[in-house]
Amino acid sequence: MSERLVNMLSTEEIAARVRDLGAQITKDYKDKNLVLVVVLKGSFVFASDLCRAIDLPLRIDFLGVRSYGEGTESSGVVQITHDLSKPIANEDVIIVEDIVDTGLTIAHLMDLFRTRNPRSVKVCALLHKPARARVSVGIDYLGFTIEDKFVVGYGLDFAERYRNIPYIGVVERS
Ligand code: 5GP
């Protein structure tokens, strides 16, 4: 069986959208204590481009999560495998996610973070698949809405492969 990647979003399309998101966040967080919380591993490529598109002093922290689910479906039960390095009390947090699919992971993280008394918590996601939403989550900064396909590249994996592909694609088997 052979595999090929079909392009869904090009490197150029992603770069332009990430620049826009960065400009919007720069406007909105001028007088705030911005902390970008990068949800590992899938968001690391998006976050590294996004943080360089934000022209503000900011802090970056990382959160490792493991989602227990069946197959490719998330269950919403999220285990923290690597916690933040510092408290977020009184800070303005943006959670940076690669993709919001069922919404269960981000809903869980929002609940968790609110117990830590930040001044505000918002969500920035590169991709959203509304067709599979199980809970409604507000995405404050969104890159692209996509159809219900399993995507890889730009940090997103399939069994740990494809994270280094510089665009978003769909794996096709023949
Ligand atoms: P949710 O809890 O919203 O269903 O799941 C979010 C997580 O599931 C994402 O952060 C990502 O790790 C994984 N995920 C959901 N859809 C996709 C997809 O199309 N491709 C890849 N590579 N991961 C996905």
Side-chain angles (χ1 to χ4, degrees), residues 60-122:
I60 301 180
D61 212 337
F62 299 92
L63 188 75
V65 300
R66 184 181 298 141
S67 171
Y68 289 114
E70 288 170 25
T72 54
E73 176 85 357
S74 146
S75 66
V77 181
V78 176
Q79 184 194 6
I80 305 297
T81 56
H82 173 90
D83 206 345
L84 301 178
S85 65
K86 278 189 168 186
I88 51 170
N90 298 317
E91 304 212 69
D92 297 295
V93 173
I94 298 182
I95 304 176
V96 180
E97 259 287 28
D98 48 2
I99 182 164
V100 176
D101 185 25
T102 63
L104 293 167
T105 302
I106 204 73
H108 179 92
L109 294 182
M110 293 290 281
D111 287 348
L112 171 72
F113 280 16
R114 286 199 187 104
T115 66
R116 298 184 180 188
N117 303 312
R119 193 155 66 182
S120 62
V121 186
K122 293 203 170 176

Side-chain angles (χ1 to χ4, degrees), residues 17-18 20-30 32 34 36 46 50 54 56 93-98 100 120-128 137-144:
R17 194 71 194 104
V18 171
D20 290 348
L21 291 172
Q24 189 61 51
I25 292 171
T26 302
K27 252 195 217 154
D28 296 350
Y29 282 77
K30 261 200 167 45
K32 301 193 171 165
L34 178 57
L36 296 182
F46 174 41
L50 180 70
I54 301 173
L56 290 174
V93 173
I94 298 182
I95 304 176
V96 180
E97 259 287 28
D98 48 2
V100 176
S120 62
V121 186
K122 293 203 170 176
V123 175
C124 177
L126 179 67
L127 305 171
H128 183 214
V137 286
I139 303 174
D140 304 281
Y141 302 96
L142 175 63
F144 302 91

